Amino acid sequence: MLKLKVNNKDIEIEEGLTVLQACEKAGVEIPRFCYHEKLSIAGNCRMCLVEIEKSPKPVASCAMPATEGMNIKTNTSFVEKSRKGVMEFLLANHPLDCPVCDQGGECDLQDQSLFYGVDKSRYKENKRAVAEKNMGPLIKTQMTRCIHCTRCIRFATEIAGVPELGAIGRGENMEITTYLEKSMESELSANVVDLCPVGALTSKPYVFEARPWELKKTESIDVMDAIGSNIRVDTYGWEVKRILPRINEDINEEWISDKTRYACDGLLNQRLDTPLIKYNNKFDKASWNEVNNIIKAKIKETSSDKICGLTGDLTNMETLFIFKEFFNKCLNSKNLESRNDDVYLNPEKRENYLFNSHINGIEESDFIFLIGSNPRYEATILNARIRKAYLKNKTKIVSSNNVGDLTYHYDFLKGKTGDIKEIVEDKHPLSNIIKLSKKPLIILGQSVLSSNSGRYIFESIKYFLKKNGKINNEWNSLNIISENASTVGSFDLGIFQNNNVSNQVLSNLKNQKYELVFLLGRDNLKFKKKNEFIIYQGSHGDKGAEIADIILPGSAYTEQNGYFTNLEGKLQKAYKASYPPGEAREDWKIINDLAEVVNNKKLFNNREELESSLINYLNLMYEKNNSTKETDVKDLVFENENIIINNIDYYYSNSIARASKTMFKCRNEKTKLESTGTEG
Amino acid sequence: MTIKKICKEQPEHFELTEKNIEKAKKIITNYPEGKQQSAVMALLYLAQSQNENWIPLAAMKYIGKFLNIPYIKVYEVATFYSMYNLSPVGKNFIQVCTTTPCMIRGAYKIVDACKEKISNNENELLEGKNCSWVEVECLGACVNGPMMQINNDYFEDLDKEKTLKILDQILKGNSPKPGSYRGRTNSEPEKNRKTLLDTKNA
C-alpha cells in the first residue's frame, strides 16, 4: 500500500495505480479525454494535468504512476491555468457547431469546456478542416471535430481486434481514418461512437434523431444473442431511438455488439399490429374476440396429441411459463419445443446447457478449446473476452475447426469428430494439455451438438473432464454457447421433449403428425407447411407469420417486462421502455386471455401472480438440480464425420434484425467486402 | 509541409526484387525477436528506392504482409514521415534546401532555375521529363549552401547558371558530378586549407 496526499487529504492506495486513479480514489474528479479505463494509456490529450509537489511542470496524471509520499494538488490556480491552456489548444481547431452536432448534450468536450475552459477564444487564424471519412454504415464521421484522443484507434486494435483504424499524417495534418476508408470489419465497431469524447464519430442511423435530454431512458436486457448484455433503451414517445450499453463487469463490460445496438430500428418496421386471419391466402383484419373464438373451436376439434407448440428465440420467460401452463392445463398437451434443430440436450442437470465457467472466468482460464463453435458470430461479447484473455494472459487457444478470423491467434485441428474421440481417449497431445492446465475452458457450440455424434461428443467430453477433475465445485470447465436469448430460459422451464429422438416434436412435425401448430415467436423454423393449421404469435411479420393461418400480434422485448436467462444461467429482467403498436398486446396477456376463452378461467389473475409462480418454479428447479445420474459413454454412437459449423447470417439472425434497415446495410457491406476480395 | 497526397493512379502489383528481399531480411535481423515490425521504416525506404523514389499502396500492403503487421500501421508510418513520397516524383527527384543559411546564399535562385527547367510548381511531374523538384528544410550541408539533392547526391555551392547546367544534364539523362561546384573539396575553405596544415589526413 502506498500513502500519499491528494489535495492535502491522506489516502492509501494499492501499488500500480496511476495518479489519476489515485485522485479518483480520493474522490477528486480529473477531467480527461484520451484516458479510458478499458484501454491502454495514451497520454496525448493533456487534459488531466495536475500539480505534484516538487515537480516544476504540470504532470499528465493518467500516465504518471503514483508513488509513495506524493503530494498531488488538483485545485490550485496552477492546475486551473494549465487546464485552461490545454482547453484553449483543443478548441483552437474545434468547430463551434454544437447546435448541429449529434453529440451535443452528451459531449465531454462541451461539458469540460464549460467547467474548465475559458469563455473566449483568442484564436483568430483559420481553423483547419478535415474531409469526412467513410467508416461504414454505422459510424458517421465529422473529422473536423476530432481532437485526436486516439480512443477509437486503441479500441479497434485492442478490444475489437481489427487493427483497421489509424492516425495518418502528423501535427496539424493528423487525421484518423480506416485503411483506405473501408468500413470497419468488426461486430463491435459502433462502440467507438460511445468512446468518442466529441462529435467526430457519431451514430449514422441515429443522425439528427433526438437530443439526449428528450429521451426516456430505460435500463434493460438485450435479446439479440444469449449473452444478455445490459443495455439502456432510449425512447422518444413510442419509438426506440437508440440502444446504449450499460456497464456490467460480469457480462458485457462496457461494450455491446452492433446487432444489439442497431437492430432497434427493426422494432418500427414489419410490425404486426392487429390480429389477422387468413382467408384464401389473404390476411384479413380481425378482432381479438374473433381470433380467440376460432382458436377455441380449432382446439376443441383437435385431439390434444395432435397439437404442438414451438417457442421462439426472443421470448421472455414469463411468456414461456404461461405458454407451458396453457399447454399443460388447458390443452392437456406436452408437445412443447424450443429448439430449432436436433441439438443434443441432456437436461438432467443445469450445468449441461450452461456456460459454466462464466464470462468472467474466461480471463482466469489458462487453456481454451473451442469445439464446433465460431464465438465471433455466436456470442460476440464473449469472443471479446476471449481476446482479452489472450492479450492479458497469452492464453493458448485451440479450435476444432478453422473458422477464419476470430480476432486472436488460435491453432486448429482438422475439423473431424475423430479428433475429439482421440482427445477423450487420451490419444491426442491435447489430452495432456487439458489435463495439465489448471482452469481449462472447453467450449461447445450448437453446431457440434446438432451433429450426428453430438451426443457422443458432449457426454464423452463431460466424462473426460469429470474423470480428470476439471469439473468440481471451484471450476467447471464444461461450457456451452447458446445462440439465442431464450434458449437457456426455455430449458430451465422444461420446454423440450427428449424421447427416442433428440427432438421429438420437430421430427413429428416434419412427419405431419400435428394438425394444430402454435408458434410462439418461432421464426427460424425450417419446415414446409402442408395441412397444419398454424397460429403465430409474435411481434414481426417474418417467416413464422408468413405460414400462419392466424396471427396474434405480440410485443417485442422493449415493449414488455420480462425475464431472460443468459448463457451463464444468470436471470435478468428486461424492462418495458415502449408499448406495443396498434392492437398488439403483451405476450403473457394474449395467452392468459386465450386460456380464459378456451377454459373459461384465467391462468393468472395478474402479472405479479405470474411472476411469483415463475420465480417459485425456477427456485424449485435450481434446488432439484443435483441429479447424479451418469450417462454411460461406452454405448453411445460415434460417427467419424466433419464438424460443420453452421454459417450464421450474423446481421439477419432473428426477426427484429431482419426487419432492420441498418442490419440490411451492414449485411450488404459485409457481402460486398467478401466478394471483392479487397480485404486480403 | 504540405499534406501528402496519395496518388490516385496506383500500380496493381508490387514486389521487392530478389536482391532487395535479401537486404530486407538482413535488416530484419537487426531487430530483436518479436520486434521485427520495427523494420518497417527501412523496408519502406527500400521499396521507395526500388520504385523510382515513391511508394505505391501495393508496396505498403506488401510490406505489411512481409512483416506481418496491419496495413494501417505501415500506412501511418508512410504518411508520417516527409521523406517517403506517396506519389510519383520522377526518376530524378530534386530537393532544394531553402532553410536560412542556404536561403541567405541565394537558394531561391536555384528554385527559379528549377521552375524554369522542370515545372512551375513543386511536386509536379511533367510528361516526358521524369523529374520533379521540391523545397525542403535543412539538408545539413549549410557550409556549402546553396545546395540541392538529386536522388542520393548533393550538389553544392550552386548559383543559377550552374544549376541550369546541371539540370540540363539531368534532363538529357546524363549524371553530372556531385559535390561542390566551386572547386572545393568537401566543405574545406576555398582555394586552400587554413588550419591543420601539418596533418595529412585531416
Side-chain angles (χ1 to χ4, degrees):
Chain A
M1 295 297 265
L2 299 172
K3 279 183 193 158
L4 42 82
K5 272 185 180 176
V6 177
N7 292 342
N8 287 326
K9 201 174 112 191
D10 291 300
I11 56 157
E12 264 190 52
I13 54 159
E14 314 90 270
E15 278 174 51
L17 294 188
T18 61
V19 171
L20 189 142
Q21 283 166 323
C23 291
E24 271 182 353
K25 288 246 154 132
V28 177
E29 201 188 320
I30 309 274
R32 86 285 302 264
F33 293 111
C34 72
Y35 175 80
H36 191 274
E37 281 173 0
K38 299 271 180 238
L39 305 173
S40 63
I41 293 165
N44 52 10
C45 75
R46 315 311 284 181
M47 194 59 207
C48 61
L49 295 178
V50 294
E51 184 182 354
I52 296 177
E53 208 176 63
K54 286 175 193 157
S55 161
K57 292 199 259 177
V59 174
S61 62
C62 72
M64 183 76 172
T67 51
E68 179 74 36
M70 259 184 180
N71 188 359
I72 304 158
K73 290 170 192 159
T74 67
N75 51 8
T76 55
S77 60
F78 179 70
V79 175
E80 199 185 326
K81 201 183 158 204
S82 347
R83 284 174 183 168
K84 276 194 172 146
V86 170
M87 205 70 220
E88 206 172 354
F89 274 124
L90 284 173
L91 289 175
N93 269 322
H94 192 82
L96 294 171
D97 60 353
C98 301
V100 294
C101 175
D102 254 332
Q103 192 84 354
E106 49 186 3
C107 175
D108 286 359
L109 191 65
Q110 206 176 32
D111 295 350
Q112 291 183 27
S113 67
L114 187 70
F115 281 100
Y116 308 106
V118 265
D119 52 356
K120 285 189 190 82
S121 171
R122 291 182 289 175
Y123 190 72
K124 298 281 192 295
E125 290 73 17
N126 287 333
K127 291 198 179 213
R128 74 175 204 147
V130 183
E132 287 184 27
K133 305 280 184 291
N134 169 34
M135 287 197 192
L138 300 177
I139 304 160
K140 183 187 176 235
T141 63
Q142 183 69 261
M143 297 320 276
T144 311
R145 296 177 187 145
C146 179
I147 57 165
H148 306 129
C149 68
T150 68
R151 273 188 191 180
C152 50
I153 300 178
R154 282 175 284 149
F155 175 82
T157 350
E158 290 159 22
I159 312 278
V162 283
E164 286 169 358
L165 281 177
I168 60 164
R170 61 167 144 160
E172 203 196 10
N173 301 313
M174 182 169 157
E175 293 179 11
I176 307 278
T177 183
T178 48
Y179 182 69
L180 304 181
E181 297 197 25
K182 65 178 188 145
S183 54
M184 253 171 102
E185 244 182 282
S186 167
E187 291 69 45
L188 290 166
S189 64
N191 286 302
V192 298
V193 173
D194 289 343
L195 285 173
C196 186
V198 296
L201 306 177
T202 51
S203 172
K204 214 177 228 175
Y206 173 71
V207 67
F208 304 140
E209 285 282 343
R211 285 294 185 192
W213 57 84
E214 299 172 318
L215 299 168
K216 195 185 97 191
K217 294 145 189 105
T218 314
E219 304 202 326
S220 191
I221 302 298
D222 169 56
V223 299
M224 291 297 139
D225 50 29
I227 298 286
S229 301
N230 289 206
I231 52 168
R232 195 185 87 191
V233 182
D234 285 8
T235 47
Y236 185 89
W238 175 69
E239 275 180 63
V240 174
K241 284 289 179 194
R242 61 171 178 180
I243 286 174
L244 296 176
R246 244 180 332 134
I247 297 177
N248 185 337
E249 293 298 330
D250 291 337
I251 300 175
N252 55 323
E253 298 183 283
E254 308 206 19
W255 325 118
I256 54 174
S257 66
D258 289 352
K259 189 159 58 171
T260 302
R261 189 185 298 261
Y262 286 123
C264 65
D265 67 335
L267 294 166
L268 309 175
N269 304 327
Q270 293 280 332
R271 288 307 297 268
L272 301 168
D273 55 359
T274 174
L276 297 166
I277 305 174
K278 194 185 254 173
Y279 291 116
N280 304 327
N281 271 330
K282 252 182 81 183
F283 282 113
D284 276 350
K285 284 185 186 176
S287 71
W288 279 105
N289 255 335
E290 271 176 79
V291 284
N292 281 350
N293 282 322
I294 294 175
I295 295 172
K296 183 185 176 184
K298 275 280 165 194
I299 289 171
K300 287 274 139 73
E301 69 188 40
T302 319
S303 71
S304 65
D305 58 326
K306 299 250 177 207
I307 302 178
C308 79
L310 297 159
T311 63
D313 302 334
L314 312 174
T315 320
N316 60 41
M317 291 181 72
E318 283 94 330
T319 313
L320 291 171
F321 184 65
I322 196 171
F323 191 63
K324 193 184 172 191
E325 294 285 291
F326 174 67
F327 260 67
N328 292 353
K329 287 185 181 158
C330 301
L331 309 180
N332 276 323
S333 164
K334 285 199 156 51
N335 301 328
L336 283 170
E337 183 54 65
S338 58
R339 288 168 290 175
N340 274 334
D341 39 28
D342 296 334
V343 175
Y344 173 67
L345 168 70
N346 177 352
E348 284 299 325
K349 241 179 153 182
R350 244 188 131 213
E351 64 174 26
N352 291 344
Y353 51 82
L354 293 186
F355 196 91
N356 293 301
S357 313
H358 296 284
I359 299 175
N360 246 341
I362 295 173
E363 285 175 51
E364 295 166 31
S365 170
D366 48 359
F367 174 72
I368 297 174
F369 184 31
L370 300 162
I371 306 175
S373 172
N374 182 348
R376 183 165 175 183
Y377 297 127
E378 286 162 20
T380 313
I381 300 294
L382 195 138
N383 198 47
R385 275 296 172 111
I386 301 181
R387 179 174 162 78
K388 193 176 173 191
Y390 168 74
L391 290 182
K392 209 170 98 185
N393 311 330
K394 297 207 171 71
T395 314
K396 186 178 164 61
I397 300 158
V398 180
S399 166
S400 65
N401 294 48
N402 180 1
V403 285
D405 186 11
L406 284 179
T407 70
Y408 41 80
H409 172 81
Y410 63 96
D411 301 323
F412 51 86
L413 310 176
K414 281 168 283 175
K416 296 260 186 201
T417 47
D419 294 333
I420 312 294
K421 192 171 191 219
E422 276 179 27
I423 292 172
V424 174
E425 287 169 356
D426 274 339
K427 288 175 191 158
H428 199 278
L430 276 184
S431 323
N432 254 336
I433 298 182
I434 295 174
K435 277 190 219 164
L436 289 177
S437 41
K438 282 194 194 92
K439 292 183 169 182
L441 206 68
I442 314 297
I443 299 176
L444 292 156
Q446 297 292 309
S447 311
V448 72
L449 293 179
S450 52
S451 70
N452 290 338
S453 28
R455 179 171 182 181
Y456 171 84
I457 289 178
F458 177 82
E459 294 297 348
S460 59
I461 290 254
K462 191 179 174 193
Y463 177 75
F464 173 76
L465 292 173
K466 234 181 187 157
K467 194 178 70 184
N468 293 304
K470 301 300 174 197
I471 297 181
N472 50 42
N473 290 336
E474 273 125 51
W475 184 258
N476 189 334
S477 55
L478 182 75
N479 294 290
I480 313 292
I481 293 193
S482 314
E483 280 167 26
N484 299 311
S486 53
T487 310
V488 174
S490 316
F491 293 164
D492 276 352
L493 293 172
I495 302 185
F496 53 82
Q497 282 244 310
N498 270 359
N499 293 343
N500 308 325
V501 205
S502 69
N503 197 334
Q504 185 72 49
V505 177
L506 206 64
S507 61
N508 284 353
L509 183 69
K510 278 175 184 160
N511 297 332
Q512 276 113 44
K513 284 198 182 147
Y514 298 120
E515 286 167 15
L516 184 60
V517 180
F518 200 128
L519 301 176
L520 185 67
R522 157 64 65 221
D523 284 299
N524 289 342
L525 198 65
K526 287 175 210 103
F527 143 76
K528 269 197 187 126
K529 187 192 170 178
K530 288 268 163 68
N531 294 320
E532 297 89 348
F533 187 81
I534 297 177
I535 304 162
Y536 174 81
Q537 177 183 333
S539 55
H540 284 73
D542 201 62
K543 291 176 193 169
E546 225 168 72
I547 53 169
D549 294 289
I550 282 188
I551 292 175
L552 308 173
S555 311
Y557 69 110
T558 51
E559 291 151 11
Q560 54 190 343
N561 291 341
Y563 285 100
F564 288 95
T565 308
N566 81 345
L567 50 72
E568 317 166 272
K570 227 175 237 148
L571 189 68
Q572 303 186 100
K573 192 172 183 182
Y575 286 91
K576 178 172 176 156
S578 167
Y579 38 86
E583 283 184 62
R585 312 179 58 194
E586 289 187 19
D587 286 317
W588 76 275
K589 274 189 192 156
I590 299 175
I591 311 276
N592 209 16
D593 287 357
L594 188 59
E596 199 185 4
V597 172
V598 173
N599 235 9
N600 296 323
K601 192 171 163 260
K602 277 188 176 172
L603 287 165
F604 296 97
N605 288 322
N606 51 37
R607 211 193 140 76
E608 284 71 41
E609 201 183 308
L610 168 65
E611 231 168 85
S612 62
S613 27
L614 169 72
I615 300 294
N616 271 341
Y617 181 94
L618 288 176
N619 284 337
L620 275 175
M621 193 268 310
Y622 295 155
E623 271 170 37
K624 268 199 299 187
N625 181 35
N626 49 9
S627 150
T628 45
K629 201 173 138 195
E630 295 284 336
T631 320
D632 201 355
V633 189
K634 279 169 202 155
D635 312 337
L636 297 176
V637 191
F638 169 76
E639 212 176 287
N640 199 354
E641 56 182 334
N642 288 329
I643 301 174
I644 293 163
I645 295 185
N646 301 339
N647 219 345
I648 293 185
D649 198 349
Y650 177 75
Y651 293 109
Y652 255 30
S653 63
N654 60 47
S655 58
I656 298 175
R658 280 191 287 264
S660 157
K661 284 177 188 157
T662 317
M663 289 295 104
F664 176 72
K665 281 183 203 155
C666 291
R667 188 166 173 256
N668 276 355
E669 192 74 20
K670 205 174 159 213
T671 36
K672 209 166 76 194
L673 276 175
E674 274 164 9
S675 58
T676 52
T678 46
E679 72 280 3
Chain B
M1 198 189 86
T2 46
I3 304 171
K4 300 180 84 174
K5 286 224 170 86
I6 286 114
C7 180
K8 280 195 179 140
E9 283 161 34
Q10 292 278 345
E12 294 233 322
H13 193 67
F14 177 88
E15 243 174 37
L16 284 179
T17 56
E18 252 172 61
K19 214 171 152 192
N20 278 340
I21 287 180
E22 244 165 67
K23 268 192 202 166
K25 280 183 182 156
K26 211 177 161 197
I27 291 168
I28 290 172
T29 54
N30 292 345
Y31 299 93
E33 190 67 29
K35 307 280 177 200
Q36 279 80 1
Q37 49 171 295
S38 305
V40 63
M41 289 187 69
L43 262 59
L44 278 169
Y45 188 71
L46 258 187
Q48 171 160 304
S49 48
Q50 184 190 312
N51 192 55
E52 297 202 335
N53 297 318
W54 75 289
I55 305 171
L57 286 170
M60 291 183 212
K61 255 189 169 179
Y62 180 87
I63 291 168
K65 273 184 198 157
F66 199 89
L67 295 171
N68 200 14
I69 51 176
Y71 304 148
I72 185 78
K73 297 279 165 206
V74 187
Y75 193 58
E76 277 179 334
V77 174
T79 50
F80 186 90
Y81 293 98
S82 58
M83 283 167 88
Y84 295 125
N85 302 315
L86 302 183
S87 32
V89 290
K91 205 172 174 182
N92 297 302
F93 179 47
I94 299 168
Q95 302 173 66
V96 186
C97 173
T98 52
T99 305
T100 321
C102 284
M103 188 194 76
I104 292 167
R105 302 277 293 150
Y108 284 114
K109 286 184 181 153
I110 303 179
V111 170
D112 287 342
C114 288
K115 283 184 179 172
E116 216 171 89
K117 283 281 166 197
I118 303 165
S119 67
N120 215 16
N121 298 315
E122 284 179 291
N123 285 321
E124 203 170 48
L125 191 61
L126 292 183
E127 228 174 278
K129 284 198 175 166
N130 210 8
C131 182
S132 73
W133 68 275
V134 67
E135 275 184 42
V136 293
E137 301 308 323
C138 185
L139 289 172
C142 309
V143 185
N144 299 26
M147 57 78 68
M148 64 182 177
Q149 181 183 355
I150 302 178
N151 296 342
N152 292 328
D153 296 325
Y154 276 19
F155 295 80
E156 295 152 343
D157 295 328
L158 301 173
D159 55 27
K160 194 172 176 184
E161 270 167 37
K162 285 170 186 160
T163 313
L164 287 174
K165 270 183 199 162
I166 295 171
L167 292 179
D168 269 336
Q169 295 275 318
I170 290 280
L171 289 174
K172 269 182 207 160
N174 304 335
S175 36
K177 184 178 73 74
S180 169
Y181 271 64
R182 245 175 19 222
R184 293 203 278 169
T185 317
N186 301 334
S187 44
E188 276 180 1
E190 260 171 271
K191 284 165 194 160
N192 248 327
R193 213 190 274 174
K194 305 275 193 297
T195 53
L196 301 172
L197 294 169
D198 308 332
T199 358
K200 269 184 192 168
N201 295 325

